[in-house]
Structure formats: C-alpha cells, structure tokens
Amino acid sequence: MAILPILRWPDPRLSRPAQAISRITPEIRSLAADMLETMYAAPGRGLAGPQVGAMLRIFVMDTVWKESERCPFVILNPEATPASTELLTRAEGCLSLPGIMAEVTRPALVDLRWTDLDGQPRTQRFHDFAAACVQHEIDHLDGIVTLDHLSPHARARAEAEYIP
Ligand code: ZN
C-alpha cells in the first residue's frame, strides 16, 4: 500500500468526468487500498479517484472512523437517487481545497447503488453527513467541486481566501 499525492484545485483533472470501471482488476484493488490509506492519513472521510489522478468512477469513504472504529467503504460506479425531498445545507471541506469550507445544499437522504470490490451490486440508504459525503464524492467523479455549488459572489470570496 502507498499514500498517494492528493491533487489540489485548480488541477484540471478535478474538473473532468471520470470513466466507469468495467472490470475489477488487481490494479483497481490496489488503487482502492492505496486510496483508503491516503484518506486515513490525510486525515479525511472521503476520497474520489480523480483526487489522486485516477480518472475512474471509484471513491472510498469512512464517515465514522474519527469518532469510533474504522468502517471503510469502497464504492465503484455509484449512482445516487434522492430518497426524500428534504434538503440540508452544511459547510463542506475537501481534501483538494484545503482551508475552504463551502456551504452546499443537498438532498438529506439518498439511496446509493454501487458495485463492491468483489463485483457484487450493493444498495444502501445514507442520511445526513454520510448522504452529503456520498454526493460530494460523486460530484468529484463528474468533475464538480464544492466551489461549483456556490453563488458567483460566494465563490469569488472563497477563491480569494484560497491558497493552493
Ligand atoms: Zn472533495
């Protein structure tokens, strides 16, 4: 396993969509292990492929490890659908935008479908912080960062504060 360098915005790879994973190769397993190690070392709660320059639809997530035991997820080819009309706004940090907290409004409850590292289809409902994390990481797979959710005024203010 290895700790990978995390790209910082405005690296252009953070603004490009990632490709679906068609086959789970040893390279994909190794990438997933490295991404988990990189996320825990950062320290962070989520990390998407493009953030380490892997333009593939993969992210890793563990929303609880800072408070309790590790509970790692490796998510391939995710698809999230809102499971309620309720929205939540929270200040989101991002390992690719150090020092920037951006207020993002998202559905409070999502159903996530994905493929796990054994190639099995999985579904699970995520709420609150975990729902925001899932949607934040899927954004990365679509070339979207938190700044892209801000109004022009709020974005200009955040960019003025940002030191890459
Ligand atoms: Zn991020």
Side-chain angles (χ1 to χ4, degrees):
M1 293 208 293
I3 293 178
L4 307 169
I6 297 176
L7 304 182
R8 292 185 172 198
W9 188 85
D11 188 293
R13 284 168 285 184
L14 294 169
S15 301
R16 290 213 306 260
Q19 291 193 331
I21 293 170
S22 53
R23 224 158 53 83
I24 298 162
T25 59
E27 289 75 22
I28 295 286
R29 291 174 188 280
S30 161
L31 172 66
D34 288 348
M35 285 175 64
L36 277 170
E37 191 180 5
T38 302
M39 178 189 76
Y40 286 124
R45 299 177 199 257
L47 184 70
Q51 290 182 278
V52 291
M55 302 307 294
L56 298 166
R57 300 190 78 81
I58 177 173
F59 71 81
V60 296
M61 180 175 85
D62 185 341
T63 58
V64 298
W65 73 275
K66 291 185 185 180
E67 291 80 31
S68 60
E69 286 174 23
R70 286 186 178 190
C71 179
F73 282 87
V74 174
I75 309 273
L76 310 180
N77 298 335
E79 282 177 50
T81 46
S84 90
T85 53
E86 189 194 345
L87 299 175
L88 271 182
T89 301
R90 64 180 70 240
E92 296 186 12
C94 179
L95 294 174
S96 294
L97 282 153
I100 297 293
M101 296 298 285
E103 298 262 324
V104 182
T105 301
R106 304 181 185 274
L109 203 62
V110 293
D111 287 327
L112 185 70
R113 299 162 55 86
W114 76 97
T115 303
D116 70 17
L117 266 188
D118 297 319
Q120 295 304 306
R122 303 269 303 268
T123 58
Q124 190 169 323
R125 180 162 288 184
F126 291 91
H127 52 85
D128 299 322
F129 178 81
C133 190
V134 160
Q135 294 171 87
H136 177 118
E137 300 312 328
I138 291 176
D139 272 357
H140 278 304
L141 306 184
D142 293 328
I144 295 166
V145 296
T146 53
L147 294 178
D148 298 322
H149 287 277
L150 300 179
S151 68
H153 176 71
R155 182 181 180 123
R157 216 172 39 194
E159 284 191 32
E161 285 170 16
Y162 179 60
I163 303 155

